[in-house]
């Protein structure tokens, strides 16, 4: 049971004396922050505010049971909320029953996809989105989220969009419709929040501006009547109801569900890894995290939740508040239950401009310009990949940006493995150490010998490149070349195309009177060479444990130890 339910592994070891107080403080702190954020993010998603609080309830319980991170805080988040709005708004009008029904079904669909990926142990898919792609996407999405809040911040009736140029054009065309009272409230909110952040105060900024906004509008609403408020928010806990499912609805939602499933997983893993500590009883497991996220969204959808995942901001709050274990989520839930049962009427006068300010300030930190500067100095190809994903997300849309990022990641992966680093080696004088002749000036090079090291797995995409480099370097040696030594230390695998290429190269050079030796071969590569018959064809005596043995054998015809590695090959099982 511990294999599938991580809480059974760490809860019996729970130290009440050391951890309970910290978890209570951390949990209540996250719960307090979650109230204004949940309401704000529901508005981003195009849903009534109460659904943000619903989304913060059952998903937390599911992650407490099935999650492997001790500090990740889950629930509604800004980025996923915007993706929900971008996807569902093309199928239904925001805020309507049809819109809510589709959003809840979307959460269920996301959960099913994540659960199936986790059971199928497909957590490795996280590797197909590189850090530059994630950074570019997150930064662009943060800008889109912030710009979309200009409607509530300024009162200008800007239509919701996930393309920057559309929002910008609408904003310019309707700039004369700005409501100065609303803008004033929104700007005051932003100034207060930034001041608290800059001064590094431990005051709960979002909660303070929410309380201040409610009190301000309660007493002075007649003086600033233009400021839009939330008005009625229903009380009570969400009731159970299975999502409405039809084939057409599923087919319409599938693309956006896959997008949310992958993005939610990437967010959770990146946050969990960043907060992971060696003292944790359970380490982050990508496949178990997928199962946890799947259970969160599936069970949450049955209690009126929209898609949820890990939150950057609340996880940081959870960490800063000193939470020790995932039990802190239980105390966050207690706060939410109390709010849903008794406190929702008090949010009637909460200004939408305050929520807009909270969202804008919270997403600013997602704009990671420092990463772009770092990549420009470090790796230009990664920098341009970040820029392409950033631009695609900003100007084409959220889904399009993710697609561009995935495609670019795969193209870059293939490009880098199809033309990997190759080194010609020479011996460092008076040693048995061999190094790249282009990096070490004093290495000894024999005109009759070519030692070549290929620094990657050899497969169909780079086999031809391997052969081209081999021919080029052999040609540089000219007719003096008598031995090619292939140093296979960095080759961790070969496929059938590589095997065929190696066999053809051996025949080609043997016909020219050039011997081909192999050294430093890893077990899986040696197995393939043995099964293909290359070892028998070349002779086991031409396979060596290191370069020095190979050259000693070539020059003297013998070794101090066994010349024939047949026994070594038979004894080595890996």
């Amino acid at each position: 049971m511990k294999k599938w339910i991580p809480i059974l592994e760490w809860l019996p070891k729970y130290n009440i004396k050391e951890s309970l107080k910290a978890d209570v403080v951390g949990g209540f702190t996250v719960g307090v922050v979650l109230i204004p954020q949940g309401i704000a993010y529901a508005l981003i998603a195009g849903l009534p505010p109460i659904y943000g609080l619903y989304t913060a309830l059952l998903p937390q319980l599911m992650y407490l049971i099935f999650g492997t991170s001790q500090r990740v805080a889950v629930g509604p988040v800004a980025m996923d909320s915007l993706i929900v709005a971008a996807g569902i708004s093309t199928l239904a009008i925001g805020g309507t029953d049809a819109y809510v029904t589709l959003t809840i079904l979307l959460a269920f669909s996301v959960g099913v996809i994540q659960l199936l990926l986790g059971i199928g142990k497909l957590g490795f898919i996280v590797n197909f989105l590189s850090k530059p792609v994630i950074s570019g996407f997150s930064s662009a999405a943060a800008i889109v989220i912030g710009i979309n809040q200009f409607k509530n911040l300024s009162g200008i009736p800007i239509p919701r969009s996930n393309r920057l140029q559309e929002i910008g054009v609408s904003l310019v065309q309707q700039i004369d419709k700005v409501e100065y009272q609303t803008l004033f409230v929104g700007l005051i909110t932003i100034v207060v929040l930034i001041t608290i952040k800059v001064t590094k105060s431990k005051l709960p900024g979002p909660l303070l501006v929410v309380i201040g906004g409610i009190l301000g509008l309660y007493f002075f609403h007649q003086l600033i009547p233009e400021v839009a408020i939330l008005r009625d928010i229903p009380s009570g806990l969400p009731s159970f109801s299975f999502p409405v499912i039809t084939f057409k609805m599923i087919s319409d939602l599938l693309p956006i569900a896959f997008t949310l499933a992958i993005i939610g997983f990437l967010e959770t893993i990146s946050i969990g890894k960043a907060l992971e500590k060696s003292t944790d009883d359970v380490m982050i497991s990508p496949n178990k995290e997928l199962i946890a996220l799947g259970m969160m969204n599936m069970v949450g959808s049955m209690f009126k939740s929209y898609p949820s995942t890990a939150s950057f901001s609340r996880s940081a709050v959870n960490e800063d508040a000193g939470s020790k274990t995932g039990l802190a989520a239980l105390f966050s839930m207690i706060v939410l239950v109390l709010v849903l049962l008794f406190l929702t009427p008090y949010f009637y006068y909460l200004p939408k401009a305050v929520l807009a300010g909270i969202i804008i300030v919270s997403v600013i930190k997602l704009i990671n310009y420092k990463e772009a500067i770092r990549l420009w100095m470090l790796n230009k190809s990664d920098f341009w990949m970040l820029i392409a994903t950033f631009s695609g997300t900003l100007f084409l849309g959220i889904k399009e940006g993710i697609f561009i990022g995935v495609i670019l990641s795969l193209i870059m992966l293939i490009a880098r493995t199809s033309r990997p680093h190759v080194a010609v080696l020479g011996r460092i004088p008076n040693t048995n150490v061999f190094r790249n002749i282009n990096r070490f000036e004093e290495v000894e090079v024999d005109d009759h010998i070519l030692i070549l090291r290929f620094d990657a797995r050899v497969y169909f995409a780079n086999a031809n490149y391997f052969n081209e480099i081999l021919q080029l370097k052999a040609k540089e040696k000219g007719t003096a070349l008598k031995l090619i030594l292939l140093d296979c230390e960095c080759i961790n695998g070969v496929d059938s195309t590589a095997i065929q290429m190696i066999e053809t190269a051996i025949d080609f050079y043997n016909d020219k009177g050039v011997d081909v030796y192999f050294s430093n071969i890893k077990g899986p590569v040696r197995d393939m060479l043995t099964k293909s018959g290359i070892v028998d064809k070349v002779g086991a005596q031409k396979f060596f444990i290191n370069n020095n043995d190979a050259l000693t054998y070539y020059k003297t015809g013998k070794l101090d130890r066994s010349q024939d590695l047949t026994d070594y090959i038979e004894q080595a099982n890996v």
Side-chain angles (χ1 to χ4, degrees), residues 183-482:
L183 182 62
F184 175 75
V185 172
L187 291 178
I188 288 294
T189 299
I190 292 174
V191 169
V192 171
L193 290 173
I194 291 178
T195 301
I196 291 174
K197 190 179 293 288
V198 170
T199 57
K200 297 182 179 180
S201 170
K202 293 186 177 181
L203 294 172
L207 185 63
L208 286 180
V209 295
V210 165
I211 294 173
I214 292 172
L215 293 176
L217 266 292
Y218 178 79
F219 289 108
F220 302 107
H221 190 250
Q222 291 181 345
L223 298 177
I224 45 177
E226 290 182 0
V227 179
I229 56 178
L230 283 183
R231 299 189 182 279
D232 292 317
I233 299 178
S235 298
L237 300 177
S239 58
F240 173 84
S241 61
F242 199 82
V244 177
I245 301 175
T246 68
F247 178 78
K248 184 179 186 310
M249 291 165 67
I250 290 293
S251 61
D252 288 340
L253 293 174
L254 206 54
I256 193 70
F258 267 108
T259 300
L260 282 166
I262 300 302
I263 291 299
F265 174 52
L266 289 171
E267 288 176 323
T268 303
I269 288 295
S270 60
I271 296 169
K273 287 292 184 183
L275 298 178
E276 187 176 47
K277 295 184 177 180
S278 59
T279 55
D280 292 342
D281 291 325
V282 180
M283 296 291 106
I284 299 293
S285 167
N287 292 315
K288 290 181 181 178
E289 286 296 289
L290 275 169
I291 292 173
L293 291 171
M295 294 300 295
M296 279 169 49
N297 283 301
M298 287 177 64
V299 175
S301 70
M302 300 174 192
F303 292 88
K304 298 181 173 60
S305 166
Y306 74 90
S308 59
T309 187
S311 165
F312 285 97
S313 58
R314 292 193 301 277
S315 296
V317 169
N318 197 34
E319 173 76 2
D320 292 342
S323 296
K324 299 291 186 181
T325 73
L327 199 64
L330 182 62
F331 301 103
S332 297
M333 289 177 60
I334 292 173
V335 173
L336 288 168
V337 168
L338 292 174
V339 169
L340 286 167
L341 290 177
F342 307 112
L343 302 179
T344 52
Y346 295 99
F347 289 92
Y348 181 93
Y349 282 102
L350 177 59
K352 291 184 178 179
V354 168
L355 296 175
I358 292 172
I359 293 169
I360 290 172
V361 173
S362 67
V363 299
I364 286 175
K365 62 179 174 294
L366 295 178
I367 305 174
N368 194 357
Y369 65 91
K370 292 182 180 179
E371 178 69 5
I373 296 172
R374 187 182 74 87
L375 290 178
W376 174 257
M377 304 296 295
L378 186 65
N379 189 312
K380 294 294 192 296
S381 61
D382 280 352
F383 170 80
W384 289 115
M385 187 158 57
L386 182 151
I387 294 299
T389 306
F390 176 83
S391 302
T393 305
L394 203 60
F395 298 109
L396 299 179
I398 298 288
K399 291 180 290 184
E400 292 79 3
I402 294 170
F403 180 76
I404 290 171
V406 172
I407 295 299
L408 286 176
S409 292
L410 293 175
I411 290 174
M412 192 61 68
L413 174 66
I414 294 171
R416 286 172 176 169
T417 57
S418 63
R419 298 182 69 85
H421 180 260
V422 182
V424 175
L425 306 182
R427 187 198 299 268
I428 294 179
N430 303 315
T431 71
N432 293 330
V433 178
F434 294 79
R435 290 293 183 266
N436 188 343
I437 64 173
N438 293 323
R439 291 181 176 270
F440 292 78
E441 296 179 357
E442 304 299 325
V443 294
E444 299 172 347
V445 178
D446 191 322
D447 291 338
H448 303 291
I449 301 171
L450 170 64
I451 308 174
L452 192 72
R453 191 188 71 213
F454 194 78
D455 294 346
R457 174 187 178 88
V458 188
Y459 69 118
F460 66 90
N462 62 22
N464 188 55
Y465 177 70
F466 183 109
N467 195 35
E468 288 176 358
I469 291 294
L470 181 58
Q471 290 182 8
L472 177 64
K473 299 303 180 182
K475 188 176 181 180
E476 290 175 358
K477 289 284 185 179
T479 56
L481 181 63
K482 298 300 178 185

Side-chain angles (χ1 to χ4, degrees), residues 50-117:
I50 192 65
Y51 285 90
L53 301 181
Y54 291 162
T55 304
L57 202 57
L58 265 297
Q60 285 202 84
L61 179 60
M62 290 299 101
Y63 191 82
L64 170 62
I65 297 171
F66 294 98
T68 57
S69 173
Q70 298 288 284
R71 291 166 186 80
V72 162
V74 300
V77 298
M79 188 183 302
D80 283 25
S81 298
L82 183 64
I83 297 174
V84 168
I88 305 296
S89 61
T90 61
L91 304 174
I93 298 173
T96 62
D97 290 342
Y99 190 97
V100 173
T101 299
L102 285 170
T103 305
I104 291 173
L105 179 58
L106 177 61
F108 182 79
S109 303
V110 169
V112 170
I113 292 169
Q114 290 172 328
L115 183 63
L116 292 176
L117 290 174

